[in-house]
Amino acid sequence: MTTLALAGYICAALAVQVIAAIIFAAFRPRPPLVQAAPTRAMANAAWAGLRAFRVRSRDDEDDAISQSSFYLEPVDGRPLAPYRGGQFLTLHLELPDAGGTIGTVTRCYSLSDRPDKLAYRITIKRIPAPADHPDLPPGRVSNYFHDHVAAGTILQLRAPAGGFVLDDDASIPAVLIAGGIGITPLFAMARAALAAKADRAIHLFYGVRDGRELVFEADLLAMVDRHPNFHLTIVQSAPLPLEAKGDRYHAIGFIDVALLRRTLPHGEHHFYVCGPPPMMASLVPALRAWGVASDAVRYEAFGPASIESAEDVAPTPLATPLEIRFTRSGRTLSWTGEETNLLDFAERNGVAVLSGCRSGSCGSCDTAVISGEVRYAQPPSFDVEKGHCLLCVGAPVGDLVLNA
């Protein structure tokens, strides 16, 4: 065999191998085609500033038709920010005052159920004029909600906020103490906690005037049936004549330490309290006097009166007043230490500033500091941007210039 013929055989053999490889590659089984997921960036479920929500529906919650739940869904259809039971929403409303002038009004309302992927729920009680002062106006925002807000209403909301939440440690029994509409954050806490750990030990004490004011009653009784470690004590201060003890209440009077001592088992507990000023003013100090550690008592109050009465922040009069300048308002005022925070100081002197929770949680009163320094008796739960301050819990260290 000549060299040329041998080379021809080799080339032919190589060509046959290449052709076979091509045929095998063409007809061999292939894995299914997997299309890469779209890489469109998803926005964070939480949001900065205001976001538009639509009222999906409204439910009356009590026999007196004085407390209503509003279900809120985002207009943009994007995911809802998760939250923890006990947190609240901050609402910004454009409402007329008594003279008909439209202005921005800010209010904070607790989320009143465990997290839901489709909607938030808040429950609002209509606040009438005080019985002993009928000449005073009724609650401006609560009455607006009850009289004008219905399915389809658009509202502007800030993302859920607040540090009034249950400990993650479920080994220590939680004692939830609610007065009136103060049930809303505590109900949300209990619902979320039991959804996460069905056998968590929770004692809920719920105080109302009579059975007409009870909200979430059917849900509470269902929770008692489903969860052996969930204990409910309803306390009515003035039961209706036809209501028998054990039917819609378990004790008469008010929630106090004596009732807690009779009802709770021995051992360590963490207490969470939310209610009107008289309840906060009496119960929170009484728990401390009972020997409950300060860090085992947490509370959320209805505005500044109950906060100050529950845990006083004493004014500190100054020998030499400080100069506080509000640039946008064009006011320069003297801080003498008579107030405990800059929000009260501004309001007393007619400086208009936004406010919400009045406890350092919602950020509504966030204000830029042009010069000077602001101190806090306790660090606010809202994350304050550098160069800003929260007026509701802040006090000046020295002369101060604020963009307000």
Side-chain angles (χ1 to χ4, degrees):
M1 181 180 296
T2 65
T3 303
L4 183 61
L6 178 62
Y9 281 122
I10 293 173
C11 290
L14 291 173
V16 169
Q17 290 179 354
V18 169
I19 293 170
I22 293 172
I23 294 171
F24 175 79
F27 291 100
R28 71 183 173 88
R30 297 189 180 192
L33 180 64
V34 178
Q35 184 176 3
T39 57
R40 181 176 62 87
M42 293 296 292
N44 191 332
W47 66 92
L50 297 175
R51 183 178 178 187
F53 278 70
R54 179 184 294 105
V55 177
R56 184 182 72 191
S57 59
R58 168 182 172 172
D59 291 335
D60 293 324
E61 296 286 2
D62 61 345
D63 294 346
I65 318 296
S66 65
Q67 299 169 88
S68 296
S69 289
F70 299 84
Y71 293 81
L72 315 174
E73 57 185 11
V75 171
D76 59 21
R78 304 178 91 173
L80 286 178
Y83 66 91
R84 297 185 64 184
Q87 292 190 305
F88 58 81
L89 295 173
T90 303
L91 285 73
H92 287 241
L93 306 163
E94 298 297 324
L95 300 181
D97 60 17
T101 302
I102 302 293
T104 301
V105 181
T106 305
R107 290 291 186 274
C108 298
Y109 289 106
S110 297
L111 289 146
S112 60
D113 205 349
R114 68 186 182 189
D116 183 288
K117 294 181 179 179
L118 301 178
Y120 293 140
R121 185 179 81 173
I122 57 175
T123 305
I124 299 176
K125 179 180 176 65
R126 182 192 290 272
I127 306 300
D132 54 344
H133 289 287
D135 55 314
L136 295 178
R140 182 179 179 188
V141 175
S142 70
N143 281 269
Y144 170 78
F145 264 87
H146 278 262
D147 294 337
H148 301 288
V149 175
T153 300
I154 303 297
L155 301 169
Q156 300 293 328
L157 276 62
R158 290 185 180 272
F164 184 57
V165 297
L166 279 181
D167 282 338
D168 293 327
D169 183 3
S171 64
I172 301 174
V175 180
L176 315 181
I177 305 174
I181 195 62
I183 187 65
T184 53
L186 301 177
F187 179 76
M189 281 184 190
R191 290 266 286 176
L194 293 175
K197 191 175 189 302
D199 62 347
R200 181 166 184 170
I202 297 175
H203 300 262
L204 173 59
F205 293 81
Y206 178 19
V208 294
R209 177 176 174 79
D210 57 53
R212 293 172 299 182
E213 296 184 355
L214 287 171
V215 297
F216 316 140
E217 184 179 15
D219 287 326
L220 289 169
L221 295 177
M223 290 159 67
V224 171
D225 290 339
R226 287 196 301 266
H227 303 282
N229 289 332
F230 177 71
H231 308 278
L232 174 65
T233 302
I234 298 175
V235 182
Q236 294 190 16
S237 60
L240 299 173
L242 298 180
E243 288 186 339
K245 185 176 180 181
D247 181 13
R248 303 187 77 185
Y249 65 94
H250 309 97
I252 298 175
F254 297 95
I255 302 172
D256 56 18
V257 166
L259 173 65
L260 300 178
R261 297 183 69 162
R262 292 195 307 270
T263 308
L264 294 174
H266 291 293
E268 184 181 5
H269 300 86
H270 283 175
F271 295 82
Y272 302 81
V273 190
C274 185
M279 175 181 169
M280 306 298 292
S282 62
L283 190 56
V284 171
L287 288 170
R288 304 278 169 74
W290 184 21
V292 180
S294 294
D295 60 358
V297 180
R298 301 178 189 177
Y299 62 85
E300 187 164 77
F302 293 171
S306 49
I307 292 172
E308 292 174 358
S309 60
E311 204 153 347
D312 222 5
V313 178
T316 307
L318 302 178
T320 304
L322 305 177
E323 184 178 277
I324 311 297
R325 183 153 65 93
F326 297 91
T327 57
R328 285 193 288 113
S329 303
R331 304 286 303 281
T332 299
L333 304 165
S334 294
W335 172 278
T336 62
E338 296 176 21
E339 283 84 17
T340 60
N341 62 76
L342 286 160
L343 178 59
D344 288 348
F345 175 74
E347 291 178 340
R348 183 176 68 85
N349 288 282
V351 177
V353 291
L354 289 177
S355 66
C357 67
R358 308 185 75 105
S359 62
S361 297
C362 73
S364 296
C365 63
D366 183 291
T367 301
V369 178
I370 297 174
S371 68
E373 185 180 348
V374 173
R375 61 176 172 81
Y376 304 103
Q378 294 182 344
S381 56
F382 182 83
D383 188 14
V384 185
E385 182 183 350
K386 185 177 181 180
H388 287 237
C389 73
L390 297 185
L391 301 181
C392 67
V393 290
V397 174
D399 292 345
L400 191 64
V401 180
L402 298 169
N403 184 28

